Amino acid sequence: MPASRQAQTGCSQPPGSAAGTAPSPGREADHDPLTAGAKPGAAPSRDPLRSRSGEFRTGPSRWLLPSLLLSACALLGAITFADPYALPATPPVQALLVNSYDQRMRWVREITDTLEAELAPPGGKVLLRVENMDTKAVHDDAYFAAYAAMLRAKYATVRPALLLCSDDHALNFLRRYRDTLFPGVPVVFGGANNFTPARVQGLAGVTGVTEEHYPYDTAQFLLRVHPGVEEIFVINDYTESGRSTAAELAEALRPLEGRVRLRWNSDVPLDDLLRQVASLGPETAVLLGVYYSDASGRIVSYEEAGLRIAAAARVPVYCIMGFNLGGSMVGGKLVTGTSQGRIMAEMGRRILAGEDPTAIPVRRGPGEFLFDDAQLRRWRISETSLPPGSEVVARPFSVYRAYSREIHAIAAFVAAMLVTIAALVAVMRHKARAEAELRKLRNLLGNILDSMPSVVVGVSPEGRIIQWNRQAVRMSGVEPAAALGRKLEEVFPYLAPQLPRVREALDSQEPVRGERLIRTEDGVPRYEDVTVFPLAANGMEGAVIRLDDVTERERVREMMIQTERMLSVGGLAAGMAHEINNPLGGILQAVQNVLRRIEPGRAANDEAARAMGCTVEQVRDYLERRGVLRMAAGVREAGLRAARIVANMLNFSRRSTSSHMECDIGGLVATAVDLAANDYSFRKNHDFRRLRVNVLVPPDLPRPACLPTEVEQVLLNLLRNAAQALAGFTPADGAPPTITVRAEHRPEGVAVSVADNGPGIPPEVRARVFDPFYTTRPPGEGTGLGLSVAFFIITQNHKGTFSVVSEPGQGATFTFTLPLGEAS
């Protein structure tokens, strides 16, 4: 039936009388079915949201190819996935959808189809039953009462688990009759206009989605892509719901005032409105709200009104409802039945899953930017300028878009086959790679074990060999192929005494250490530690016997003991030196006085000689003849030598109390070389002129904190030892005897080395070279304290390091390091 109307006068501003009013049960909603009285020849309603091309295809040939392809895929899927032993499905849960309008309205079809697809798909657990009102034709109380009686009779023996309703009349109907017809059944609504919580007050278990319009977003886009537009012509009808929508549009577009003129259509017959639209100039664009009935009471469908208005316009026409998109309509941010149905389906699933409807808040209906492809090209609107997430519909026909589902199904099947083949190939390759990786890991494990300096032998609990590394081959002379599987005592008797510890390690699950073994190799003792590790993994038991050569560790330990011994001997030397110094000083003083008493030219000596009836010269002549002067000189020389020995012992034992200062290593090296050449001259051992001394000290060397006199003493001792080593030796390569003094900056400090190309030091001598009183010189030519004192000065007084590197026939290099630090 025609919508109720109020007298309207033509004006350019929207009416506001309906704004803010709550809808009543008799209020007309804003959607219209396709009326049976539409004009013959009117443009058919199109569905751009669902169509895949702009063409119409008729006849059975259109579906022949896709039907064959789908049938083949379905048959293959049934053969592949069918379960012949599947039990019958349980009866589905029933849901009831009540639509306010006839199913011919596209808005209703979209909501219904979406709910069927997403809430109650075929073969699912939900059965959707649909009931349609016809409230566009009649919506009084008598109609609602009769409709309720019909539902009561129809569903007398069926109680749905969920109620759904679309648009205002259905919501108002359930608000009045739900507790009578279906008491306690939860309700999900959609398409509610101007919703407020008061609409469902007193109705428990209700939630849903509201219908919102987005004219402002559409207008914003319109003005951006059409910069020459100065006026927006807003078209809306003047039915009861039309006035409400017009008030909503006016409020939403209010922020555009001052930026663009807003012009509203008058309530005139549709033909007059179309002539107004046709006369619009290029500075104007059209925004269509809802249009169902004109001033003459003529009723048209929403879709037909939109098609005719857009066809008459020579300017861009935008809309706010999804069912108006098509023909010459550009689009905009639209409300669609599909989006409403999708949210209703989501809420329905949650409620049927057991969620409390009151815990699901009412959601604001979304809008989607939808545009017609032909109109975008007509008005030269680039798709890159569309808002993010926009969708373009009604594109030109293409085989891919027309048969995309079928193509995707076939492609998916082919892809599945290819994936299966690829998976099989990948599995085979993975297996091959795994086997190769296993071989690689085995080789790596073998290489690791073979590269270890220790003997590693794996044995079973019975004592049979299960692992044999290269070091075990070197010591036993037995190759792995000949050793594996045999008893340990047969292959390697040296380790046979360790077999009892295998059981001990397995019982305790802890490593067991054996006694240290000592053997002789090339006349040199070698020390070895034995450790037995339990092996219990992957169902295999056994043990790993590891034999470690700790000879070098023993040498380090002996050097540490030697350092401690040096400290002890130093204390002893200090006491001895003090005891020896007193009589030694008396002896030297007495010898000096004896020699002075026989010197001629001294008055006291001459007077004593005259008293004896002789001269001092005669006394000296007698003493020389009898060798007394020579013996006295020998006593004096022996005393001085003993004094030097005592001084060295004191230097060895005494920690310096002088203050460290920053020293120029280059200067100290130069001074030490001069002293060695001028003071010692090495004349007791060789001719210094045969020696070549190379000094390599960089000019930018850091200055360590040290005691200059002590470092000079160390350098002198090293130079003297190098000179004595070169005495009477000719290098094999024919080079002259050479001493090289080198200094360099290292991370640990300044390193100074004194190297010679002499005969080198044998290993047994090198191990004791820093021992106090150890010397290889003949008796009377060395005290054995020179290197001991140097070692003590560097390691104790300067907290540095001292080392020697030498091989027989390749010379020797003594290196000491002075750490860098602040002067004390």
Side-chain angles (χ1 to χ4, degrees):
M1 58 180 287
S4 60
R5 302 180 51 84
Q6 297 180 2
Q8 299 290 329
T9 58
C11 61
S12 60
Q13 296 296 326
S17 60
T21 60
S24 64
R27 175 187 167 185
E28 176 189 14
D30 57 353
H31 308 305
D32 180 39
L34 294 173
T35 59
K39 288 184 178 180
S45 174
R46 294 194 296 156
D47 189 352
L49 301 181
R50 299 177 181 274
S51 65
R52 302 210 174 248
S53 72
E55 299 180 6
F56 289 97
R57 291 170 291 155
T58 60
S61 61
R62 174 186 179 188
W63 300 105
L64 180 59
L65 176 61
S67 298
L68 291 175
L69 294 175
L70 285 176
S71 299
C73 293
L75 178 61
L76 182 60
I79 295 173
T80 304
F81 301 104
D83 183 5
Y85 302 102
L87 297 176
T90 57
V93 175
Q94 294 198 28
L96 175 61
L97 169 63
V98 180
N99 291 314
S100 296
Y101 312 123
D102 189 272
Q103 193 72 12
R104 291 172 297 171
M105 180 184 289
R106 200 173 84 195
W107 167 270
V108 178
R109 291 200 308 274
E110 289 177 356
I111 293 178
T112 304
D113 292 347
T114 304
L115 286 171
E116 287 179 344
E118 299 196 10
L119 178 64
K125 298 181 179 180
V126 179
L127 174 62
L128 182 66
R129 305 184 68 167
V130 182
E131 300 290 344
N132 294 315
M133 296 181 175
D134 194 10
T135 56
K136 280 295 182 184
V138 57
H139 46 262
D140 55 17
D141 292 342
Y143 174 78
F144 289 131
Y147 195 81
M150 182 273 295
L151 292 181
R152 182 179 296 107
K154 187 173 182 178
Y155 293 92
T157 60
V158 177
R159 175 182 170 86
L162 177 68
L163 295 175
L164 303 109
C165 63
S166 67
D167 295 288
D168 295 298
H169 287 308
L171 175 60
N172 293 335
F173 172 79
L174 289 180
R175 179 182 177 184
R176 179 180 300 179
Y177 292 102
R178 191 278 305 266
D179 292 338
T180 301
L181 297 173
F182 310 105
V185 177
V187 176
V188 176
F189 66 82
N193 294 276
N194 300 317
F195 179 81
T196 62
R199 293 277 298 278
V200 293
Q201 187 173 1
L203 188 63
V206 178
T207 187
V209 55
T210 67
E211 180 182 331
E212 305 291 337
H213 303 124
Y214 299 90
Y216 179 76
D217 300 85
T218 301
Q220 285 279 77
F221 174 78
L222 180 158
L223 295 175
R224 179 163 60 84
V225 298
H226 303 288
V229 169
E230 301 175 357
E231 178 184 72
I232 297 179
F233 186 38
V234 185
I235 298 177
N236 209 78
D237 69 13
Y238 286 85
T239 62
E240 181 182 355
S241 61
R243 292 194 302 272
S244 175
T245 303
E248 181 183 351
L249 295 179
E251 182 64 26
L253 297 175
R254 192 183 308 278
L256 296 178
E257 293 179 357
R259 180 179 171 188
V260 65
R261 293 192 308 275
L262 296 177
R263 175 182 169 194
W264 299 81
N265 67 298
S266 301
D267 187 15
V268 297
L270 179 60
D271 293 338
D272 293 341
L273 177 61
L274 296 179
R275 282 191 289 270
Q276 293 180 24
V277 171
S279 64
L280 295 177
E283 74 283 355
T284 303
V286 174
L287 177 61
L288 175 62
V290 293
Y291 201 94
Y292 170 73
S293 176
D294 64 4
S296 64
R298 177 184 176 184
I299 298 175
V300 293
S301 68
Y302 289 121
E303 291 90 337
E304 181 183 354
L307 289 172
R308 296 185 64 181
I309 291 172
R314 292 180 296 174
V315 297
V317 180
Y318 289 77
C319 55
I320 63 172
M321 300 301 297
F323 49 66
N324 281 130
L325 185 60
S328 299
M329 198 74 65
V330 178
K333 190 169 186 180
L334 312 182
V335 182
T336 66
T338 301
S339 61
Q340 294 276 314
R342 187 176 297 117
I343 297 174
M344 293 171 66
E346 175 195 348
M347 293 179 171
R349 286 194 301 268
R350 293 169 62 182
I351 293 174
L352 292 178
E355 191 169 347
D356 185 0
T358 59
I360 305 176
V362 175
R363 289 177 58 178
R364 187 172 185 265
E368 305 173 72
F369 277 105
L370 301 173
F371 300 95
D372 185 85
D373 179 78
Q375 296 306 308
L376 291 180
R377 288 185 280 107
R378 173 186 177 185
W379 300 108
R380 298 180 181 178
I381 302 173
S382 172
E383 291 193 22
T384 59
S385 65
L386 301 182
S390 298
E391 182 180 353
V392 179
V393 299
R395 295 181 184 273
F397 172 77
S398 72
V399 174
Y400 174 78
R401 283 196 295 270
Y403 300 103
S404 61
R405 293 183 181 179
E406 296 83 352
I407 293 173
H408 289 165
I410 297 173
F413 174 74
V414 174
M417 295 297 100
L418 293 177
V419 168
T420 303
I421 296 172
L424 293 176
V425 173
V427 169
M428 296 175 62
R429 289 184 177 178
H430 178 73
K431 182 179 179 181
R433 284 197 300 267
E435 293 175 351
E437 189 68 20
L438 181 59
R439 289 192 297 271
K440 181 179 178 181
L441 289 176
R442 286 177 177 172
N443 293 336
L444 177 62
L445 177 61
N447 291 335
I448 291 174
L449 294 177
D450 288 342
S451 65
M452 292 179 64
S454 306
V455 173
V456 179
V457 179
V459 294
S460 66
E462 296 78 23
R464 295 190 178 275
I465 298 172
I466 58 177
Q467 184 64 46
W468 191 258
N469 77 334
R470 183 55 54 186
Q471 191 67 10
V473 173
R474 189 187 71 81
M475 287 193 62
S476 66
V478 180
E479 292 296 326
L484 294 177
R486 297 175 59 187
K487 290 190 175 182
L488 181 64
E489 57 267 23
E490 298 176 0
V491 181
F492 206 169
Y494 183 67
L495 290 179
Q498 310 304 323
L499 286 176
R501 294 185 176 86
V502 172
R503 178 49 58 187
E504 181 182 351
L506 287 175
D507 293 340
S508 64
Q509 288 298 304
E510 296 288 340
V512 176
R513 293 187 177 275
E515 297 179 357
R516 175 164 293 176
L517 305 179
I518 303 176
R519 63 182 176 88
T520 303
E521 184 177 293
D522 298 331
V524 178
R526 310 292 298 185
Y527 302 92
E528 295 168 330
D529 282 348
V530 179
T531 308
V532 180
F533 299 91
L535 176 64
N538 298 326
M540 177 181 292
E541 282 193 344
V544 175
I545 303 175
R546 191 181 74 192
L547 187 66
D548 298 309
D549 190 328
V550 294
T551 305
E552 291 301 323
R553 190 192 309 167
E554 279 296 303
R555 288 177 180 172
V556 173
R557 188 179 66 85
E558 289 178 359
M559 290 185 64
M560 294 175 63
I561 295 174
Q562 170 185 307
T563 302
E564 295 294 330
R565 185 167 65 245
M566 289 171 60
L567 295 176
S568 300
V569 172
L572 176 63
M576 293 177 58
H578 282 292
E579 294 298 327
I580 295 173
N581 255 342
N582 292 330
L584 185 60
I587 292 173
L588 290 175
Q589 185 177 5
V591 171
Q592 182 179 1
N593 287 335
V594 168
L595 295 177
R596 290 180 65 186
R597 297 290 172 87
I598 61 175
E599 287 182 358
R602 292 182 180 270
N605 293 348
D606 292 339
E607 183 179 352
R610 282 195 301 271
M612 297 298 297
C614 63
T615 64
V616 175
E617 286 78 5
Q618 291 174 336
V619 175
R620 287 185 62 85
D621 184 55
Y622 170 77
L623 293 176
E624 286 181 359
R625 287 176 180 271
R626 297 295 297 165
V628 174
L629 293 180
R630 180 173 54 79
M631 288 185 285
V635 172
R636 182 174 181 275
E637 184 178 352
L640 290 176
R641 181 168 173 269
R644 286 196 300 272
I645 294 174
V646 170
N648 285 336
M649 292 175 64
L650 287 175
N651 287 334
F652 176 78
S653 61
R654 183 183 301 123
R655 187 182 298 273
S656 176
T657 57
S658 303
S659 297
H660 288 59
M661 62 183 67
E662 290 188 354
C663 299
D664 180 9
I665 296 299
L668 295 180
V669 170
T671 301
V673 172
D674 290 342
L675 289 175
N678 298 325
D679 294 343
Y680 291 92
S681 298
F682 309 125
R683 55 182 176 270
K684 292 184 179 180
N685 296 287
H686 71 283
D687 187 359
F688 181 68
R689 290 172 297 180
R690 292 184 59 246
L691 288 178
R692 175 186 294 175
V693 180
N694 297 328
V695 178
L696 305 175
V697 180
D700 57 347
L701 197 67
R703 299 165 67 91
C706 63
L707 297 172
T709 55
E710 292 189 351
V711 176
E712 286 180 359
Q713 179 182 352
V714 171
L715 290 169
L716 284 172
N717 285 344
L718 295 178
L719 289 169
R720 181 175 61 187
N721 284 354
Q724 291 171 351
L726 290 169
F729 177 79
T730 301
D733 56 1
T738 304
I739 299 175
T740 302
V741 183
R742 185 188 307 272
E744 59 182 346
H745 182 203
R746 295 181 181 175
E748 62 271 19
V750 175
V752 182
S753 61
V754 178
D756 63 71
N757 58 349
I761 305 174
E764 62 274 11
V765 175
R766 187 172 65 244
R768 302 187 59 191
V769 72
F770 294 116
D771 284 0
F773 306 112
Y774 177 77
T775 180
T776 57
R777 301 180 206 163
E781 294 188 11
T783 63
L785 288 176
L787 289 177
S788 300
V789 171
F791 185 87
F792 184 85
I793 288 173
I794 295 300
T795 60
Q796 299 300 318
N797 291 356
H798 292 82
K799 307 302 179 185
T801 60
F802 212 134
S803 63
V804 58
V805 177
S806 178
E807 293 293 337
Q810 298 182 12
T813 301
F814 288 84
T815 303
F816 63 88
T817 303
L818 299 173
L820 297 174
E822 297 181 357
S824 60

